[in-house]
């Protein structure tokens, strides 16, 4: 728990509930400069259907709080939003990836001039003292015209972040995390934890 750990002067470990090892790797890259290690907890999460990533993440975290002893707990939910497709696939990104995949999105985008898109990540932190705290990160970019690169996961091969000419799948995890929605959300968590630690040590 945050305050108990604070008594010892450091908070060195958080537990991310996910089956996705890439998320754990990226969260570790983002939080390492803050001295925080991210451990993976494999627990099946229930994901409700909702238009709101925050609601989905909070619901799934609430479901598992009493099932595990590890603290602090973190869940992360993310999605790809394409304005030309009215925000699709958004909160349905996981299902859409499993069904039509990157090729399906490229097909929907055929002949579409406005290729802008953004990824959004919602990170929900929980410990028994502080309760829940939500952090968000967004990265704008565009949908490529073909699948490019072999690294990462999900829609990485078709997303080119602003400021780069390469897709996320053409970057290593370190470089992706500099730009990414997940990097931004986890860094926001890192700054918040650092802030509390500094306040406590005054
Ligand atoms: P999740 O529910 O947070 O696992 O994310 C839903 C889906 O969005 C995933 O299955 C991926 O297809 C996609 N997604 C989320 N984050 C990323 C990312 O960083 N890169 C590529 N695809 C992502």
């Amino acid at each position: 728990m945050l305050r108990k750990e604070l008594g010892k002067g450091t908070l060195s470990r958080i537990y991310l509930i996910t089956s996705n090892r890439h998320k754990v790797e990226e969260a570790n890259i983002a939080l390492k400069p803050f001295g925080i290690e991210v451990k993976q907890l494999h627990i099946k999460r229930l994901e409700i259907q909702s238009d709101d990533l925050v609601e989905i993440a909070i619901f799934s975290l609430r479901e598992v709080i009493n099932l595990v002893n590890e603290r602090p707990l973190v869940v992360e939910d993310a999605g790809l939003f394409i304005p030309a497709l009215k925000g699709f696939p958004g909160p349905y990104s996981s299902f859409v990836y499993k069904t039509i995949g990157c090729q399906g999105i490229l097909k929907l985008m055929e002949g579409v001039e406005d290729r802008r898109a953004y990824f959004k990540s919602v990170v929900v932190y929980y410990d028994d003292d502080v309760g829940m705290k939500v952090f968000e990160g967004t990265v704008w970019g565009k949908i490529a015209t073909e699948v490019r690169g072999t690294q990462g996961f999900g829609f990485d091969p078709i997303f080119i972040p602003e400021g780069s000419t390469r897709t996320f799948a053409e970057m290593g995890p370190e470089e992706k995390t500099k730009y990414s929605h997940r990097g931004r959300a986890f860094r926001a968590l890192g700054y918040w934890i650092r802030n509390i630690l500094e306040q406590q040590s005054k």
Side-chain angles (χ1 to χ4, degrees), residues 66-174:
N66 295 321
L67 302 179
V68 295
N69 295 321
E70 286 85 355
R71 299 287 189 270
L73 289 175
V74 173
V75 298
E76 193 248 10
D77 267 293
L80 175 67
F81 297 76
I82 304 176
L85 304 180
K86 307 216 180 309
F88 184 85
Y92 309 103
S93 293
S94 174
F95 179 73
V96 171
Y97 179 74
K98 276 187 233 145
T99 50
I100 64 172
C102 289
Q103 293 295 351
I105 295 290
L106 289 181
K107 188 127 192 82
L108 290 172
M109 292 296 283
E110 261 172 29
V112 177
E113 232 171 78
D114 177 8
R115 304 195 71 86
R116 286 173 309 133
Y118 66 92
F119 271 115
K120 184 174 172 182
S121 160
V122 170
V123 167
V124 186
Y125 169 98
Y126 174 84
D127 76 51
D128 297 323
D129 298 315
V130 175
M132 287 197 198
K133 190 94 183 112
V134 178
F135 303 89
E136 297 185 16
T138 298
V139 57
W140 276 92
K142 60 182 186 198
I143 300 296
T145 47
E146 76 274 297
V147 165
R148 279 183 1 217
T150 53
Q151 307 196 60
F153 70 99
F155 296 114
D156 278 349
I158 57 167
F159 185 82
I160 304 168
E162 251 171 28
S164 177
T165 52
R166 287 173 301 138
T167 66
F168 272 163
E170 292 177 297
M171 303 176 177
E174 297 270 351

Side-chain angles (χ1 to χ4, degrees), residues 160-190:
I160 304 168
E162 251 171 28
S164 177
T165 52
R166 287 173 301 138
T167 66
F168 272 163
E170 292 177 297
M171 303 176 177
E174 297 270 351
E175 191 183 356
K176 176 186 170 186
T177 305
K178 275 188 203 148
Y179 290 96
S180 80
H181 50 311
R182 185 162 302 104
R184 288 180 177 160
F186 275 99
R187 281 192 292 273
L189 168 64

